[in-house]
Amino acid sequence: MPRAAPPHWRELRLEIEEFNEAYAATLDAGRVDEWPSFFTEDAIYRITGRENADAGLPVGLVYCEGIGMLRDRALAIAKTTMFAPRYLLHLLGNARVLEESGDGSIAAQANYALYETLVDEKTILQQVGRYRDRFLRREGRLLLKERHCIYDSLIIDTALVYPV
Amino acid sequence: MPRAAPPHWRELRLEIEEFNEAYAATLDAGRVDEWPSFFTEDAIYRITGRENADAGLPVGLVYCEGIGMLRDRALAIAKTTMFAPRYLLHLLGNARVLEESGDGSIAAQANYALYETLVDEKTILQQVGRYRDRFLRREGRLLLKERHCIYDSLIIDTALVYPV
Amino acid sequence: MPRAAPPHWRELRLEIEEFNEAYAATLDAGRVDEWPSFFTEDAIYRITGRENADAGLPVGLVYCEGIGMLRDRALAIAKTTMFAPRYLLHLLGNARVLEESGDGSIAAQANYALYETLVDEKTILQQVGRYRDRFLRREGRLLLKERHCIYDSLIIDTALVYPV
């Protein structure tokens, strides 16, 4: 049921959408080395199946705590050659602002579909899910304090090393 | 061809998008009991194939007239156990405001893709289509006077009892 | 990494999204004769695979230069009967404004998924890609000076004569 939201949430929503599209474009372009720059120093990044997320289980496919772990992950992906070349494309729904906390953090959510194309193959839907996010503002810009990618189901991929 | 729209239609568009994302998040979370709260008392809700809709035929897959019928439907779904558990996810395009009528109703449209995931199965595209809507403002908030879901084609599902 | 964009880019982004949704709705409704009206007189329209686009190769699936070629193409499609009836539906991501040039042109980008449904068949994902656009303002309205559709991979279709 639509509730009355504070008026400044509309601008916040639009700003988050711009953040999300920049994030997606960076990953879609294969610039995984820039991926950590969307996060705060102490950020948490997770990918979890919906069944586990709904049950409150911490078990996930990917868990990174702190920008060091995000950078290690980005570096590992950038260097790896085991991994067949593929194109990714994110299609994002609009963002929903859910809450603003006393510490200035903003909870938000957005649906996504992630498409994957291996060379000379048909495009497949790799996963659909939603981002559950917590943003902080740093020097005027939004950064992710937490991004939790909760997928409904995914094609179990040889290597879901790439960030969502 | 893009035409010049009244300036306040931009805010209206954004408000409708927020309504649509709240509607989708409610259904995606499985809170079907809250679904009728998005409609006016005398609302009409329909799901129709595009071929019939284009031909002006009233024949549809689902037809509800009045909030009583929407509540009955929501209750039936909430109680049913025949129906295998599944996750739904809506991916929505942006809204287009098409018309404002003298009675204050607003005609709008938005494309959608609906993904369905049964436990331990791959996510499938259940249907793509567009919402053809008529909104009314009640106590400052938008409500649906009419939502007509027109799908291009759908995977005929054991039970399309769940609202789109 | 999200950068600080000029404040008026937000309104520009919203205006481009409205343009893109009107463009998609025109094609989805099968009104291909109206398609050229979204372009300037000297516009370029292209559809290219990502591999070629990334390599800077001009080779593409479709190349139209000037509104005459767009009109010829639209006319050919409208008249053709070789081509099985199908429904199209575009699902668009939000637009990103990338640059404003001294000549007033605006570079922008948006992701898309294009779904195709042949009569009595399942809906398929025809292609995912991104629009790389250059807009000009003419008599207060945006028009496409260039639309470059770059697809990740596509289902090679009997006849991709229809614009994306």
Side-chain angles (χ1 to χ4, degrees), chain B residues 1-2 10 13-14 50-51 54 91-94 96 109 111-113 115 125 128-130 152-153 155, chain C residues 11 14-15 17-19 21-22 25 28-29 37-38 87-91 94 115 117 121-123 141:
Chain B
M1 188 174 49
R10 178 152 305 153
R13 165 204 150 187
L14 294 170
R50 181 162 169 183
E51 214 167 359
D54 283 354
L91 208 61
L92 306 180
N94 284 324
R96 299 183 65 215
Q109 178 171 330
N111 283 354
Y112 64 82
Y115 298 97
L125 179 65
V128 296
R130 72 279 304 144
D152 278 8
S153 172
I155 291 176
Chain C
E11 285 302 307
L14 294 170
E15 189 179 358
E17 286 165 4
E18 287 153 20
F19 179 97
E21 291 293 345
D28 292 352
S37 70
F38 289 91
Y87 294 136
L88 294 177
L89 189 135
H90 291 73
L91 208 60
N94 284 324
Y115 298 97
T117 310
E121 294 195 19
K122 277 164 72 166
T123 296
R141 282 202 329 218

Side-chain angles (χ1 to χ4, degrees), chain A residues 5-61:
Chain A
H8 70 284
W9 282 19
R10 177 150 307 153
E11 287 301 307
L12 209 44
R13 165 204 150 187
L14 294 170
E15 189 179 358
I16 290 170
E17 287 166 4
E18 287 153 21
F19 180 97
N20 284 344
E21 291 292 346
Y23 177 100
T26 298
L27 291 179
D28 293 353
R31 299 199 310 267
V32 67
D33 55 303
E34 295 178 26
W35 172 65
S37 70
F38 289 90
F39 292 87
T40 63
E41 287 291 318
D42 59 346
I44 292 173
Y45 176 78
R46 287 189 287 166
I47 309 178
T48 312
R50 181 161 168 183
E51 215 168 357
N52 286 337
D54 284 353
L57 295 176
V59 184
L61 201 61

Side-chain angles (χ1 to χ4, degrees), chain A residues 61-62 73 80-86 88 116-118 121 124 126-127 154-162:
Chain A
L61 201 61
V62 170
R73 190 168 191 88
T80 191
T81 53
M82 288 179 293
F83 179 64
R86 66 199 64 202
L88 294 176
E116 182 177 284
T117 310
L118 275 84
E121 295 196 19
I124 58 158
Q126 198 214 58
Q127 59 178 283
L154 79 173
I155 291 175
I156 301 298
D157 203 66
T158 43
L160 184 75
V161 292
Y162 211 85

Side-chain angles (χ1 to χ4, degrees), chain B residues 100-148:
Chain B
E100 271 185 300
S101 301
D103 65 351
S105 77
I106 300 144
Q109 178 171 330
N111 283 354
Y112 64 82
L114 177 55
Y115 298 97
E116 182 178 285
T117 311
L118 274 84
V119 175
D120 295 325
E121 294 195 19
K122 277 163 74 162
T123 296
I124 58 158
L125 179 65
Q126 199 214 57
Q127 59 178 284
V128 296
R130 72 279 304 144
Y131 295 128
R132 289 264 169 75
D133 297 324
R134 194 160 282 280
F135 288 94
L136 284 173
R137 193 173 295 281
R138 290 284 175 265
E139 298 168 29
R141 282 201 329 215
L142 294 179
L143 289 175
L144 284 163
K145 168 77 178 79
E146 187 171 346
R147 168 149 285 183
H148 191 180

Side-chain angles (χ1 to χ4, degrees), chain C:
Chain C
M1 188 173 50
R3 49 183 170 43
H8 71 283
W9 281 18
R10 178 150 306 153
E11 285 302 307
L12 208 44
R13 166 204 149 185
L14 294 170
E15 189 179 358
I16 290 170
E17 286 165 4
E18 287 153 20
F19 179 97
N20 284 345
E21 291 293 345
Y23 176 101
T26 299
L27 292 179
D28 292 352
R31 300 199 309 268
V32 68
D33 56 303
E34 295 179 26
W35 172 66
S37 70
F38 289 91
F39 292 86
T40 63
E41 287 292 318
D42 58 346
I44 291 173
Y45 175 78
R46 286 189 288 166
I47 308 177
T48 313
R50 182 161 166 183
E51 215 168 359
N52 286 337
D54 284 353
L57 295 175
V59 184
L61 201 61
V62 170
Y63 185 90
C64 291
E65 193 174 343
I67 206 164
M69 275 183 78
L70 277 85
R71 284 195 189 118
D72 285 351
R73 189 167 191 88
L75 195 66
I77 295 165
K79 300 264 184 226
T80 191
T81 53
M82 288 179 293
F83 178 62
R86 66 197 64 203
Y87 294 136
L88 294 177
L89 189 135
H90 291 73
L91 208 60
L92 306 181
N94 284 324
R96 299 182 66 216
V97 177
L98 301 175
E99 195 191 39
E100 272 184 299
S101 300
D103 65 350
S105 77
I106 300 144
Q109 177 172 330
N111 283 355
Y112 64 81
L114 177 55
Y115 298 97
E116 182 178 285
T117 310
L118 275 84
V119 176
D120 295 325
E121 294 195 19
K122 277 164 72 166
T123 296
I124 58 158
L125 179 64
Q126 198 214 57
Q127 60 178 282
V128 294
R130 72 279 303 144
Y131 295 128
R132 288 265 168 75
D133 296 325
R134 195 160 280 280
F135 288 94
L136 284 173
R137 194 173 295 281
R138 291 281 176 265
E139 298 168 29
R141 282 202 329 218
L142 294 180
L143 288 175
L144 284 163
K145 168 75 177 78
E146 186 171 348
R147 168 148 284 183
H148 191 180
C149 310
I150 303 173
Y151 57 87
D152 278 8
S153 173
L154 80 172
I155 291 175
I156 300 300
D157 203 66
T158 44
L160 183 76
V161 291
Y162 211 85
V164 174

Side-chain angles (χ1 to χ4, degrees), chain A residues 82-100:
Chain A
M82 288 179 293
F83 179 64
R86 66 199 64 202
Y87 294 135
L88 294 176
L89 189 135
H90 291 73
L91 208 61
L92 305 180
N94 284 324
R96 299 183 66 216
V97 177
L98 301 174
E99 195 191 38
E100 272 184 300

